[in-house]
Amino acid sequence: MAAIPEAAPAEPPPEELPPFDAGGEVAAAEPAAAPAAEEVPLEELPTIDGEDILEEIPPEELAAPAAPPPSALVVPGTHRVVVHTVEGHVRRGVLTDVDLAAGALALEPQPGVAAEPIDAEQVKAIFFMLAPGEKAPPAEGKRVRVTFRDGRQVAGYGPDYTEEGPGFFMIPADTRTNTGRIWVYRAAVKQVVTS
């Protein structure tokens, strides 16, 4: 007697097609209702090795990201300055919240007058002037003598002098001037001697 093959499992019935309209259009089928979402208490949520998979995020972490910290090379406030360029020009004016690492300086010839951009690559040094009645900062740090590419020199003290970065501050050795400190652009320097 021949073996009777087993019957293949029954296929699920095909989905019903929407009824055909005599006008040639297919009538829209009623969408199936989605099952209602069930609320699960937090204690019943799944865990991995006893640790919660989900963690509660504090509201302060959900807030907008904080602004990046200000650059260490930003000098806040408004300052009277004298800008010396590599071409030998001298420009006087005001700098406000100046970023010494930026590609340009926005020098205002006078407070409230539109700023004139100066390409930082063209600047040799910025002399920050003392405000009326302001005392010069103390002469501390390494003695520094800077020789610029044009042969001119300036001497003073570098309280935090390093050979890194786009430039450095120095306190002028000559206390008879009205200059509080000098920002020296490293690209304009030929030589720095420290002691």
Side-chain angles (χ1 to χ4, degrees):
M1 187 163 158
I4 302 175
E6 287 186 25
E11 291 184 19
E15 290 183 22
E16 283 189 29
L17 295 175
F20 185 74
D21 183 12
E25 294 186 16
V26 177
E30 291 283 328
E38 182 179 321
E39 273 195 43
V40 178
L42 192 57
E43 342 23 269
E44 293 179 22
L45 288 174
T47 61
I48 297 176
D49 296 334
E51 295 292 320
D52 288 336
I53 294 176
L54 301 175
E55 62 181 74
E56 191 172 330
I57 299 174
E60 61 272 7
E61 290 183 23
L62 294 175
S71 167
L73 296 177
V74 173
V75 181
T78 301
H79 304 275
R80 286 183 321 114
V81 297
V82 178
V83 176
H84 290 257
T85 69
V86 293
E87 290 123 3
H89 300 287
V90 176
R91 313 251 320 256
R92 298 174 191 283
V94 175
L95 291 174
T96 303
D97 298 331
V98 61
D99 183 353
L100 299 170
L105 302 172
L107 181 68
E108 298 174 26
Q110 295 176 9
V113 176
E116 300 172 8
I118 301 174
D119 188 356
E121 291 180 1
Q122 299 301 312
V123 178
K124 182 168 60 173
I126 303 171
F127 289 70
F128 287 81
M129 310 311 288
L130 294 169
E134 182 182 6
K135 293 189 181 216
E140 58 187 17
K142 298 178 182 178
R143 282 196 56 84
V144 178
R145 177 172 296 282
V146 175
T147 304
F148 292 100
R149 294 190 185 278
D150 62 4
R152 296 195 178 197
Q153 292 186 342
V154 65
Y157 298 88
D160 53 3
Y161 174 78
T162 69
E163 295 181 9
E164 310 282 319
F168 55 92
F169 273 111
M170 60 185 291
I171 309 299
D174 187 354
T175 56
R176 295 170 297 167
T177 69
N178 195 14
T179 304
R181 59 186 176 158
I182 305 166
W183 172 259
V184 176
Y185 280 94
R186 196 173 304 281
V189 171
K190 179 179 178 182
Q191 182 183 30
V192 177
V193 177
T194 62
S195 58

